[in-house]
Every structure is written in C-alpha cells, then in structure tokens.
Amino acid sequence: MRAREISTLALDSYQRAARVALSNHLVTSTYPDRIALPLLRRWATELREDLLELFGYRLEVTESTARLYPVIDRLDDSQPARTATDRIFDRRRYAYLALALAALGRAGNQITLSELADHVAAEASQVDGVELTTDRASDRDAFVDAIGWLATRGAIALADGDATGWANNPSAGEALYDIDRPVVVALFRPPRAVQHLRSIRGLLAGADAPSDPEDSELGIHTESGREADPKETVRAVRRALVEQPVVYLDDLDRDGRAALATSRTVADVELLTGLIAERRSEGVALIDTSGRLSDYRFPSTGTIAQVALLIAGEISDRVIDPDAPALATYPLPDADALIEQLDSAIPDGGIFGDLAEFGFGSDATTFVEAEKKKLYPLIEDSWLTTVVDDLVERFGRTFAAQWQSDRDGLRLRALALLHRLRLVHCVSGGVLVLPVIARYRDVMVSVRDRTPQDSLFGNEQAPSTDPSEVEA
C-alpha cells in the first residue's frame, strides 16, 4: 500500500486527495472545486495503486478530468442526482439527462439550449413513455434541471445567455454553451454495454466474473457453496465502509464478518482516508470529522436535519420503553423485488423501452444470508405522524416557515434523511429501526430565545433551536 510510504508531513494532503476521489467519482477543472483536480493529479500514481488494491476501483487521471470507476456491489438509492435546489431527479429528468448527454457526444464545440432541446425531443419521441415538448413549462423546467446538472460538472459551460430565461419563455430567451468533450466522454462509462443487458444484475460486482483459481485454492466458499475470492471479499467489505454510512454485521455473510473483524481491513481504509473507525457490537462506521467524504453531515443545522435528529431520539426511546406495547418485527426487504422491477423495463429486443415506475427503498445487499435474516422493530406511520405533530407544537416557531404548515412533507423529508443515513429503513406503513439509531436516544434540546433588539427598521430576531446529540 503506497500510503505507508508517504511521509507524515504529506500524508494529510494524500488523504484529502483520496477523500475527494471517493466522494466525487468525476472531478473536473471546476467540479467539485478548482483545487480538487490539481490535488488528484499530484497524487495520481499513488492513488491509482491504492484504490485498485483496497477497493478494486480504477482511477483514470488526465489533464482535464479524473474519473473513478467504482465496483457496484448493490443497488443504492442514497446518492441520487439532484437539482440545484436539492430536489431529487424524477424519471423524466433522468431521461432528459441521458438523452442530452448522448446529443452532446455527437455535437460540435458549441450548442444552443434550444438546439439541444430539439435533439433531445427528437430522441425522446422514439421512446415510449418519454417526451419533451418545449411548449410545456414543466418539460422545460425538467430539461433545464438536467442541463444544470451537466453544467455543474463541467460537461458544458455557459458562454452567453440564460437558461432560466429560455425556461420562462423559449421564444424570447436563449443560452449558448461550450462543450467540454473530455468531460462528456468521462461522464458515461458503464462497465458493460447497457443495451445488451438482460438484467440489472449485470452491472453488479461478480455478475459474470469467475473466481481466481489461485485464490480459490485457499478453500474459502460462499454461503451458496460457490468458492469465493478472499481478496474480493475483503475489497467488498472495504467498499461498504466507504460507500455506506454504517456497515452492519447482519449485512454480511460469514466470510464478510470475518473480514470486517480483521483489524487490517479497517486500518487500511483509515490510513487511506484519514477517517476514524467506530466499532460497535452491531458493526462499524467511519467517522468523518473533516466533512470532506460524507455527502451529508449529521447532526446538522436546518429544519429537516434538526427534526430528523429529534425523531431519531423519539424512536430510540420508543424501542426501549418497557411500558409500551411490544413492537412487531420484520426483516429488511431484499433487493430482488427492485431488481425485478428494473428488469421488467428491458424488452426482449435488448433496447430499453418504457421507463419502469419504481420506488427506491430496498438496500439489502447480496451479503445477506436469506435463511438467517435479522428482525427489526417496525414503527408505524401513525405513531410517527403523532410525534411530528407534537414536535411542531413544541418547536414549530423555530422551524422554517414552509414546514410549519406542511407537517406531512416535514415528516417524509426527515425520515428520508434517516433512511439515507441507515438509521432507519423506510417500508410501506412505517420504518424499520436499525441499531445505530441508539446513538441518538439521549437527544438534548436547547431552545435559545434571543432577546429582541430594535433595529433601524424595527425588526426582531426570531428564536432558534439548537438540538445536539449525546452519544448513547
């Protein structure tokens, strides 16, 4: 491992580069910032070797881009594409994004927004269930969101005009974009030809890769009796450590649990990333005090994060309450149902047809032993609704105005955050409670009422909340 050869003085810089690569699979001259690409270029040789050795990831670094090609072990809904206002992409925006990327690959050095929209509209008309009508405001807004996602990553750069003006009135507004072809090429590089897939499983790790004969001589087998590559087992565990907020022992099979228990497995990831591993009886989490690897800091500020923290404390108290009725318990749903839904969108001809209507929410991995699934307590939606109503009554004056009247939206957004952090698992009718939520069972709430001070305009400062967690 090359990280062991780096001097103490330079190790912090190397670890920052590793965190940038792992948290941003595409790095350009402007994304995620202007210092990221020079940092990766400085450590390209060492990073390329360490990322391949520890995770099986391939890193390609050029003058204008750095692209990390991860190995996907499971379907993951924790990092969807988002708009500039943090709205999750829907199926229409994903379709426009894919079609726009294809159009940019065939374009020249520049393209206008209306021209790009015409290309996407023409391609969309050939796919059942997808259309782009520029006369419809909702279509224009969705298209501009997809274009904004590409612009943020440097695939295109605004040269003149305004995309918002075009979205408001396409006959009066226009925008001209420069196309960065290396970024466009680097954006979409699937591990296999997508049009030839017969199942989404073909994009997952080990879908068609036989075990290495030399490694199989060590005699390690999977739960199904098929020989497993011990190096790949360790790599899969390391990948889980950097891709998931927490790795539960119940997620892993026998070999995976043995690999996670080995100090070297976690220590190598700590050395590469500079993060600190927190071990508990339920599993392991990497604690990111730098905030440079995590895609969301928790606990955090803002109404959604604060309400999510308060809900976590209430759920923890409910689970251990000896006087309350016993909670029903259920296993986590596996990934088979979601895989079947996605596979149903692939016609026999081998070209994707109608986009499948599906909802994320199943994050069980292939590590799970079907015959020994752990049961988790179910907290029903009715109880959660009551809790949020109570929180709004007690602390609503400190919440953002939009959430004071939208209690259902507040509850759903807060639970989605807890699901994203693997503190709960959202299912139909409620949430399954995962063990790490116990870290927040002693939530302390402090409401600071600031003394009103008259200003030149007679405004008063509103009170604010400052929930903070006490580790269990």
Side-chain angles (χ1 to χ4, degrees), residues 168-300:
N168 292 333
N169 186 352
S171 61
E174 184 59 281
L176 176 66
Y177 289 96
D178 295 324
I179 301 173
D180 191 323
R181 193 153 304 283
V183 177
V184 171
V185 172
L187 264 174
F188 184 66
R189 296 278 294 278
R192 296 173 182 83
V194 175
Q195 64 266 34
H196 299 311
L197 288 179
R198 291 298 180 270
S199 172
I200 196 69
R201 295 181 191 273
L203 295 176
L204 302 180
D208 57 4
S211 299
D212 188 332
E214 295 182 1
D215 291 328
S216 64
E217 292 177 359
L218 296 176
I220 295 182
H221 300 263
T222 64
E223 298 297 333
S224 62
R226 180 170 50 87
E227 289 189 350
D229 183 343
K231 294 180 182 177
E232 284 306 313
T233 297
V234 175
R235 283 174 175 168
V237 172
R238 292 196 191 109
R239 291 194 291 264
L241 284 169
V242 296
E243 296 290 347
Q244 301 176 27
V246 57
V247 179
Y248 291 108
L249 291 175
D250 293 316
D251 289 343
L252 309 177
D253 62 12
R254 182 182 59 225
D255 295 332
R257 288 192 292 269
L260 185 62
T262 303
S263 59
R264 174 74 175 272
T265 300
V266 178
D268 285 345
V269 179
E270 289 181 302
L271 178 61
L272 177 71
T273 63
L275 307 186
I276 303 299
E278 179 181 293
R279 286 186 178 271
R280 299 208 175 198
S281 60
E282 299 88 0
V284 178
L286 290 179
I287 307 302
D288 179 19
T289 57
S290 70
R292 295 299 300 272
L293 181 59
S294 304
D295 57 351
Y296 201 97
R297 184 181 293 275
F298 188 77
S300 184

Side-chain angles (χ1 to χ4, degrees), residues 301-378:
T301 58
T303 298
I304 298 299
Q306 292 182 348
V307 170
L309 180 61
L310 294 171
I311 292 175
E314 295 288 343
I315 291 176
S316 300
D317 291 340
R318 172 63 183 88
V319 170
I320 64 174
D321 187 352
D323 299 323
L327 296 170
T329 57
Y330 299 91
L332 290 175
D334 57 37
D336 289 343
L338 178 55
I339 288 175
E340 290 176 3
Q341 281 186 303
L342 291 170
D343 287 352
S344 67
I346 307 177
D348 294 336
I351 300 176
F352 283 94
D354 290 352
L355 296 176
E357 286 282 7
F358 61 87
F360 291 109
S362 175
D363 67 353
T365 73
T366 55
F367 293 133
V368 176
E369 303 172 51
E371 69 276 12
K372 296 181 180 179
K373 287 187 176 180
K374 184 177 176 62
L375 301 178
Y376 299 91
L378 173 69

Side-chain angles (χ1 to χ4, degrees), residues 17-33 35-45 47-48 51 58-70 153-154 180-189:
R19 294 195 295 268
V20 168
L22 289 169
S23 57
N24 303 278
H25 293 174
L26 174 69
V27 175
T28 66
S29 58
T30 59
Y31 182 82
D33 52 49
I35 65 174
L37 185 60
L39 181 63
L40 289 183
R41 286 174 54 82
R42 174 187 176 186
W43 297 106
T45 301
L47 279 176
R48 190 178 295 112
L51 291 170
R58 181 166 56 90
L59 177 67
E60 290 184 1
V61 180
T62 68
E63 291 185 1
S64 57
T65 64
R67 185 68 163 92
L68 183 70
Y69 297 95
R153 283 149 185 81
D180 191 323
R181 193 153 304 283
V183 177
V184 171
V185 172
L187 264 174
F188 184 66
R189 296 278 294 278

